[in-house]
Amino acid sequence: MATVFVTAPKLAPAGAALLAQAGARVLYLSQPDSVEEVERIMATEPVDAVISRTVELPARAIESCPTLKVISKHGVGVSNIAVEAATRRGIPVYVTPGANAQSVAEMTLGLMFAAARRIGWMDAELHAGRWSRAQDGVELHGKTIALVGFGQIGQRVAGVCLALGMQVVAFDPALKDGKSPVEGARLLPSLADLLPLAEVLSLHVPLNKHTRNMIGEAEFARLPRGAILVNTARGEVVDEDALVAALRSGQLHAAGLDTMAVEPLPAGSALASLQNVVLTPHVGGSTPAALAAMATGAARNVLGWLQGRPADPSACVNPQVFN
């Protein structure tokens, strides 16, 4: 019987059912986000596979578990997984590409609209008994949205924005042929080319050494004054001090953020004090539909490996382990 460790207190029923059908023994965290419990379980239990959610899966946990054979992220961002440690042991790390793309794309659009029209601020004002009417909202029709990262999420956002009458430009170094996968959207060769056009700047990149703090003071200065930032990727992609300065100066009209550099958002964060920021607690991919898709994808990834039916190598972030 295989032992599968889910680094969260629960897994969506669709994924849990697949593990049960396979006869797996499933372990869960009792304390959300407890790295100490992750390490204890990995060091003391015969874990064959890990389904990694948001808590850190550190190198020492991977190295302490001699039975570990495969890891799958419940999602696509692996910045919380010590992938190099897994690679050293020949352990594949899979992701579930596309499973939450629709939900994240819809959250991106929701934050864009809310930031453009100050919906969150007006809602709070009316709930507090004040008839406060913001009439300085940005009409998005005719504006240019610039997408940094043009995978499944960015492409879905582009389709809706084109239908809204926006211009769409994108930069993604992975699309080397220069051909846009979305008719009507233009691919640009560099971030530097993209920024001056970005009346709305939307981020859709993973967190890695190339993208950490990729949007900072210099990049904000290149945006048209009064631009809007939307971030449903990773908070660490943005230099938050520079972001706060741009919001206070008016260089940015507003920002819609589903993710921050430190989560949960610390008490006293400058972001929470600004009226031109819309904040959500990193739930872009957390609709029931997306959670079910990620859970089933992750379960299939680990069961496929354990049963000798590996998932498509394109879903593995360290394919060198196959050599």
Side-chain angles (χ1 to χ4, degrees), residues 210-266:
H210 304 293
T211 62
R212 187 179 295 274
N213 287 329
M214 74 181 299
I215 305 298
E217 182 179 3
E219 288 72 28
F220 286 126
R222 290 182 61 83
L223 297 175
R225 186 167 178 82
I228 294 168
L229 173 73
V230 180
N231 187 7
T232 53
R234 287 294 185 272
E236 299 95 323
V237 172
V238 177
D239 178 334
E240 282 190 358
D241 289 339
L243 169 60
V244 169
L247 287 162
R248 285 176 172 163
S249 72
Q251 177 62 12
L252 287 180
H253 171 77
L257 310 174
D258 185 47
T259 180
M260 303 94 208
V262 178
E263 297 176 355
L265 190 67

Side-chain angles (χ1 to χ4, degrees), residues 15 36-37 49 57 69 89 107 124 126 133 158 174 179 183 190 209 212 220 234 243 249 276 286 296 300:
E36 293 78 12
E37 189 179 3
L57 183 61
K69 302 173 183 67
R89 289 194 49 198
M107 176 63 88
L126 266 69
R133 303 172 70 225
K179 183 178 180 181
E183 185 178 354
S190 71
K209 63 183 180 181
R212 187 179 295 274
F220 286 126
R234 287 294 185 272
L243 169 60
S249 72
N276 56 343
S286 295
T296 55
R300 289 189 178 112

Side-chain angles (χ1 to χ4, degrees), residues 54-311:
T54 58
V55 68
E56 183 184 1
L57 183 61
R60 56 187 172 272
I62 293 170
E63 292 161 354
S64 71
C65 187
T67 55
L68 184 62
K69 302 173 183 67
V70 62
I71 299 167
S72 179
K73 175 68 177 186
H74 181 276
V76 293
V78 295
S79 58
N80 67 314
I81 300 173
V83 176
E84 291 182 0
T87 303
R88 286 194 296 270
R89 289 194 49 198
I91 295 169
V93 179
Y94 287 97
V95 294
T96 57
N100 65 357
Q102 185 64 31
S103 289
V104 177
E106 291 179 10
M107 176 63 88
T108 300
L109 294 161
L111 288 171
M112 178 180 71
F113 287 120
R117 296 300 298 270
R118 298 181 66 186
I119 290 172
W121 177 78
M122 287 189 287
D123 175 73
E125 288 288 285
L126 266 69
H127 274 94
R130 294 183 291 270
W131 188 254
S132 301
R133 303 172 70 225
Q135 295 178 300
D136 60 347
V138 174
E139 184 172 295
L140 295 167
H141 177 86
K143 296 291 190 292
T144 296
I145 183 169
L147 302 159
V148 182
F150 206 38
Q152 293 194 46
I153 297 168
Q155 290 172 32
R156 292 176 195 221
V157 171
V160 175
C161 289
L162 287 166
L164 192 66
M166 299 181 75
Q167 307 298 312
V168 178
V169 295
F171 165 65
D172 191 324
L175 299 174
K176 295 180 171 53
D177 61 3
K179 183 178 180 181
S180 172
V182 176
E183 185 178 354
R186 282 195 298 140
L187 271 183
L188 297 181
S190 71
L191 183 63
D193 291 307
L194 188 85
L195 293 172
L197 305 176
E199 292 167 298
V200 178
L201 180 66
S202 190
L203 307 179
H204 303 284
V205 293
L207 178 63
N208 55 43
K209 63 183 180 181
H210 304 293
T211 62
R212 187 179 295 274
N213 287 329
M214 74 181 299
I215 305 298
E217 182 179 3
E219 288 72 28
F220 286 126
R222 290 182 61 83
L223 297 175
R225 186 167 178 82
I228 294 168
L229 173 73
V230 180
N231 187 7
T232 53
R234 287 294 185 272
E236 299 95 323
V237 172
V238 177
D239 178 334
E240 282 190 358
D241 289 339
L243 169 60
V244 169
L247 287 162
R248 285 176 172 163
S249 72
Q251 177 62 12
L252 287 180
H253 171 77
L257 310 174
D258 185 47
T259 180
M260 303 94 208
V262 178
E263 297 176 355
L265 190 67
S269 166
L271 290 172
S273 71
L274 293 169
Q275 294 183 347
N276 56 343
V277 179
V278 181
L279 299 169
T280 53
H282 206 154
V283 291
S286 295
T287 61
L291 290 168
M294 288 186 287
T296 55
R300 289 189 178 112
N301 284 343
V302 299
L303 292 173
W305 183 262
L306 295 175
Q307 296 168 354
R309 298 179 285 99

